[in-house]
Amino acid sequence: MAAVQAHHRLFLASTCAGQQRRRLRPSRIAAPCRAAVSGGVRTAQSPSSSSSGSGSPSSLRLNLDWVDPRVVAVPTSSPGAQVEVEKLRAIAEAAADRAEMHDIIGRQRDNWNHLLLHSNNSLLLAASVMAALAPAAPTVVALKASAGVLLASAAVTMAALAEEQRNATRLWRQLERDVRATLALAAPVTRADVHDAMDRVLALDAAYPLPLLPGMLEKFPKTVEPTRWWPKKKQQQHQQRAPVNKSSSFGSSSRRGGARGNGWTPELEEEMRGILRVIKAKDEHQYITVGKMVLGLNKGLAVAGPALAGAAALAAAFIGSAGEAGAWASGAAVLGGALAAAANTVEHGGQLGMVFELLRNCAGFYRKMQEEIKANLGEADVERREDGEVFETKVALQLGRSTSELKQFRRMASPSFKDDDVKDFAGKLF
């Protein structure tokens, strides 16, 4: 019996020692685990274990329910840094709001222009029919008065129509994505990030004002310039720097030919200079030239349509009068109404205003590429430039080409190569 009791005591002692060892083991592990996950994940214990003080592995589990993946945690070291983060978040919200506003107003104006286009053509054709039937009808006064009112109404509404290509929605959404990407980075937000985002907001507002009123839209600008939706400050900073010689960009090591610096080589610089020359001489020049032609045609039709409708309305007033005026008044009213309908269809049905804005936007795209290439080539310190291989890939994608196709532009950077000898365009995308 004593032997049995001694064996029982020995079993209890070994069990208690094992439990004690199991209790001590998680305590040594839990401390570094909690330290490692204290920034974003925390552990939770069951009520029974917390009350009893047990540290069993089943009581330590990761509590991820409180984590919201939509909230971006931006590290801040001071209250001033937190203020900059809030400013950048406000800019992102404003960019998203601007995108929605431009999208809604753009669609509304498009519907409005389509409705007025068909309404004007219906008014002009109906008035022309009335003017043709008025001389032979007994109610000549009523017909000519109706024709005059319809032609005058069409002349007024034709002058109010305006179209534009709303590229702003895409650019505002791109700005919002860039700002939110900056917030998602591990690096703290600086005042320079806020100023850069604000400059981009102001540049977009200036390039694409909200088209609430026709007076806010520059329908017929005096000079045709590429649309600019990026800030000018960076361009001015790079222009103040002295031009960099291509051989000095890489220091003494560039004379050995195979040297590399931040992905840049002398061959890549020659390639970028050739692309820069072709874009300016061919791509941007083409869109500016065609834009001037479309603007001139749009101006002529914008004046001819209301003028023809007004002249037809004036001629309708003389229908049925005695003398030569009454003889030709009906024919003039019919002809003027038909020509006004044709001018209205070509101008607004062909969306010449939209085509003009589209050409300016394409020219602005190539102008922006030129400034980006100049900014990189104008940086004396190669290490401060954007990575050469990445930049070459971005340029190739923007032009719709492969990186191997860009090598053909090296020879075009030579001063002996004339602009008239450039036959191909740099961009294949548009």
Side-chain angles (χ1 to χ4, degrees):
M1 185 66 180
V4 173
Q5 291 179 353
H7 180 72
H8 182 67
R9 290 194 186 100
L10 181 61
F11 176 75
L12 290 176
S14 62
T15 303
C16 293
Q19 291 179 353
Q20 186 176 5
R21 283 195 299 269
R22 286 194 297 270
R23 291 175 184 173
L24 292 176
R25 194 172 300 160
S27 65
R28 293 194 299 269
I29 298 175
C33 288
R34 284 195 295 270
V37 300
S38 60
V41 181
R42 60 189 178 187
T43 59
Q45 294 183 354
S46 61
S48 59
S49 62
S50 61
S51 61
S52 61
S54 174
S56 62
S58 62
S59 64
L60 294 176
R61 61 181 182 275
L62 296 179
N63 185 6
L64 300 178
D65 297 335
W66 63 280
V67 178
D68 188 359
R70 296 171 297 178
V71 178
V72 179
V74 181
T76 57
S77 57
S78 64
Q82 182 64 31
V83 172
E84 302 301 328
V85 170
E86 294 300 327
K87 289 181 180 178
L88 209 57
R89 284 175 178 163
I91 293 174
E93 294 297 329
D97 186 62
R98 294 281 213 292
E100 292 297 326
M101 293 171 67
H102 277 276
D103 183 52
I104 293 172
I105 296 175
R107 283 184 289 162
Q108 183 59 41
R109 284 183 63 89
D110 186 63
N111 293 334
W112 176 51
N113 287 333
H114 279 87
L115 291 174
L116 285 180
L117 168 65
H118 298 301
S119 299
N120 283 338
N121 287 342
S122 300
L123 292 176
L124 292 170
L125 295 177
S128 299
V129 173
M130 291 180 182
L133 297 178
T139 57
V140 60
V141 178
L143 285 177
K144 75 175 185 178
S146 300
V149 170
L150 293 178
L151 290 170
S153 301
V156 173
T157 54
M158 285 172 64
L161 281 175
E163 313 90 17
E164 73 280 356
Q165 194 265 343
R166 302 317 301 170
N167 192 40
T169 302
R170 180 183 64 86
L171 295 174
W172 280 112
R173 288 173 179 165
Q174 181 182 7
L175 175 58
E176 180 194 2
R177 290 194 299 269
D178 293 344
V179 172
R180 296 199 182 277
T182 303
L183 288 171
L185 293 176
V189 177
T190 62
R191 184 171 297 179
D193 296 329
V194 177
H195 287 172
D196 180 69
M198 282 296 298
D199 291 340
R200 292 179 63 183
V201 168
L202 297 178
L204 269 173
D205 278 335
Y208 299 100
L210 285 172
L212 298 177
L213 296 174
M216 297 181 64
L217 298 173
E218 192 177 9
K219 187 177 179 181
F220 304 117
K222 296 180 180 179
T223 58
V224 180
E225 293 290 338
T227 305
R228 185 184 190 90
W229 60 85
W230 60 96
K232 296 182 179 180
K233 183 172 62 175
K234 289 186 178 182
Q235 179 193 18
Q236 294 173 355
Q237 290 177 354
H238 289 292
Q239 285 178 349
Q240 292 174 358
R241 298 174 181 170
V244 180
N245 193 342
K246 61 182 179 180
S247 62
S248 65
S249 301
F250 299 90
S252 59
S253 61
S254 64
R255 298 185 180 92
R256 294 193 293 268
R260 298 179 63 86
N262 194 24
W264 287 88
T265 61
E267 292 79 11
L268 181 58
E269 283 197 350
E270 292 292 328
E271 183 179 302
M272 290 297 125
R273 285 191 173 90
I275 293 173
L276 184 65
R277 185 175 183 182
V278 175
I279 287 177
K280 184 177 181 179
K282 296 290 290 184
D283 298 83
E284 181 183 336
H285 178 72
Q286 177 198 30
Y287 284 107
I288 293 297
T289 303
V290 179
K292 290 179 180 179
M293 295 173 55
V294 174
L295 177 63
L297 179 61
N298 194 24
K299 281 183 179 180
L301 292 176
V303 174
L308 289 171
L314 183 62
F318 293 95
I319 296 177
S321 59
E324 296 181 359
W328 58 259
S330 177
V334 172
L335 181 61
L339 292 177
N344 182 58
T345 301
V346 173
E347 180 190 4
H348 300 294
Q351 295 283 292
L352 293 183
M354 180 274 295
V355 174
F356 172 67
E357 290 296 331
L358 179 62
L359 294 171
R360 286 208 305 175
N361 288 332
C362 293
F365 172 81
Y366 287 112
R367 177 67 61 87
K368 188 173 184 292
M369 285 190 62
Q370 293 181 58
E371 293 187 6
E372 289 176 351
I373 295 175
K374 288 180 180 178
N376 279 276
L377 295 179
E379 179 58 62
D381 188 1
V382 182
E383 298 299 328
R384 296 179 60 183
R385 299 180 184 178
E386 186 177 355
D387 185 90
E389 296 181 0
V390 175
F391 186 70
E392 183 184 22
T393 302
K394 289 170 59 176
V395 171
L397 291 173
Q398 290 175 349
L399 295 177
R401 293 178 177 270
S402 63
T403 53
S404 60
E405 290 179 330
L406 299 183
K407 294 178 175 57
Q408 62 178 320
F409 296 102
R410 291 178 186 173
R411 60 186 182 88
M412 301 177 186
S414 175
S416 60
F417 196 90
K418 298 181 181 180
D419 292 342
D420 297 336
D421 297 333
V422 179
K423 303 300 181 182
D424 194 12
F425 291 91
K428 282 188 173 181
L429 188 60
F430 56 85

